[in-house]
Structures are given as structure tokens and as C-alpha cells.
Amino acid sequence: MLIRPGGTELYTDYLSLAAQTDMVAAVRSLLNAAPLYTPTMPRTGKSMSVRMTNFGKTGWMSDHKGYRYQVNHPDTGAPWPDIPESILSVWRDLLPDQPLPDACLVNFYDQDAKMGLHQDRDEQDFSVPVLSISLGDTALFRLGGTKRGGKTQSFRLSSGDVMLLRGEDRLAFHGIDRIYPGTSQLLKNGGRINVTLRKAL
Ligand code: MD3
Ligand code: FE
């Protein structure tokens, strides 16, 4: 369903429990090849509370030098593993007319992790939507407008929900204010995984 006239669609419970379980297994199976790393903030070098990894041709990262896409893992130097078919198929189903994504960012939130309000603007073509998949504990997601400091709306994102950001909302400020611990049994140690698919190049 459309949750904002600007173009944000939320498909609640899009993935069955079996599909969620398979997707978590697919993500886990690639964490040896592409371990979670701790991004740091541009300039300050302060650690983010969210740990990340990527699949696909290129991956998003942040360190004291800034935000960027790069083809190698920042810690291991290895190329990112291919995007699992179970993840790609969600894009094919919802965005059949769009080019396939070349970047799959995996964010892992423990129960204390958050992500401050930001815009995603490191991709080349903002006309291609972003697709986000939530797995594990419920998160409180905040979505604002395209200018910092404007009014914001909050939504809960639960395991199996899929969100599409397109149109003017593609450049909206957004962030994760909090995780609700114990709201899902999907991840054995709790926490939340968010998988975002993008065409970055
Ligand atoms: C709104 N991740 O990785 S996903 C990110 O839940 C990010 O981990 C959050 O923001 C998370 O950059 C939110 C939902 C999302 C993704 C991309 C967007 C919302 C967006 C791009 C534009 C506007
Ligand atoms: Fe973002």
C-alpha cells in the first residue's frame, strides 16, 4: 500500500515466514566471505552502531574519508559476493520494469543500534527505486521530506515487510530511531537485519 503520496509503498508481511527464514540463511551463509564491518562517520571517525556488509557488484561504505560505493570489502579487500537469488527475486517481482540492482546493503542492528536521519544520495540515478526488506525485530522508522529539519512521520517496520522508495521520496531524509527487542524470533540472538537493493552504478 502507498503510505505517502511522495511515492513510498509499504508491503506489510510481503515475505512468508519460510521465505524470511531462507533469506536469513542465505545472508548468514555469505558472512564468512563478506564479514560484517563497523562503518565509521566521515570526518569524526566515530563508529556507527549498525554493522554492515554488502552483496553485488558494488557496496556502500563509510569511513573517515566519506560515504561511497566500492567493489571491495573494506576489511578483507575481497570482492562482494553475488546477491542471493532469494533477494533478487523480490526486486524482480515488485520492479519488473527496472534494471536489476547492482548493490545489496545488509544492515545488522543489535537491540541498541540506531541510524540517524540521512539521505541516500551516493547512487548515480535517483530515478531507480530503492527496495528495503526488514527481517527480525521490529524497528521504528522515521521518514521526512527532502529537506533536513522538516516534518517527519514514523512507521514500524516488521519482519517480512518490504518497502519501496521512489519518486520524490527517493531523496527523503530517513532513519531508524529504535529497535523493539524481543518482537521477533527469526534471528536466534535477536536484533534486526535490513537488506536494501539499489542500482548504484
Ligand atoms: C527512504 N536503512 O541503509 S531502510 C540505509 O532500516 C537505510 O536499515 C534503513 O536507511 C534500515 O540507507 C532504512 C528503508 C529505506 C531505504 C532507503 C531509502 C528508506 C529510504 C531511501 C530514500 C528514502
Ligand atoms: Fe538510507
Side-chain angles (χ1 to χ4, degrees):
M1 87 181 234
L2 195 67
I3 56 174
R4 294 228 307 196
T8 302
E9 286 174 281
L10 180 60
Y11 296 85
T12 50
D13 286 323
Y14 185 80
L15 296 177
S16 68
L17 186 55
Q20 295 172 45
T21 304
D22 286 356
M23 202 175 281
V24 170
V27 169
R28 285 224 162 94
S29 74
L30 296 173
L31 292 182
N32 286 322
L36 293 170
Y37 63 90
T38 300
T40 56
M41 294 296 289
R43 301 175 56 87
T44 65
K46 189 176 171 329
S47 291
M48 296 188 186
S49 57
V50 180
R51 290 182 298 152
M52 299 181 175
T53 192
N54 292 271
F55 309 139
K57 217 180 300 287
T58 193
W60 188 85
M61 70 157 289
S62 176
D63 62 15
H64 66 281
K65 293 186 228 163
Y67 301 147
R68 63 189 172 278
Y69 279 91
Q70 64 175 48
V71 298
N72 299 103
H73 192 290
D75 294 341
T76 70
W80 305 106
D82 288 343
I83 303 174
E85 192 51 46
S86 57
I87 295 176
L88 268 183
S89 71
V90 179
W91 180 283
R92 283 207 189 84
D93 288 346
L94 289 174
L95 297 166
D97 300 326
Q98 294 289 338
L100 287 176
D102 50 24
C104 176
L105 173 63
V106 178
N107 294 329
F108 178 77
Y109 295 79
D110 67 23
Q111 61 175 37
D112 301 315
K114 328 186 237 310
M115 187 180 284
L117 279 180
H118 66 278
Q119 284 175 303
D120 291 14
R121 48 186 310 159
D122 301 312
E123 300 75 24
Q124 310 243 318
D125 181 356
F126 302 137
S127 73
V128 182
V130 173
L131 187 157
S132 142
I133 304 169
S134 292
L135 298 166
D137 285 336
T138 299
L140 185 60
F141 170 69
R142 187 198 291 255
L143 187 59
T146 52
K147 289 204 268 294
R148 189 180 281 284
K151 125 174 182 299
T152 64
Q153 290 174 281
S154 294
F155 304 93
R156 279 180 170 71
L157 298 178
S158 302
S159 197
D161 291 354
V162 174
M163 191 161 54
L164 277 183
L165 292 307
R166 65 194 334 164
E168 73 182 53
D169 283 350
R170 173 65 184 76
L171 287 170
F173 278 87
H174 60 279
I176 295 291
D177 287 338
R178 64 164 296 189
I179 301 297
Y180 296 97
T183 47
S184 165
Q185 308 312 311
L186 189 70
L187 307 183
K188 52 181 171 299
N189 296 317
R192 172 175 185 262
I193 293 173
N194 181 262
V195 174
T196 51
L197 291 171
R198 299 181 174 83
K199 184 158 161 53
L201 303 176

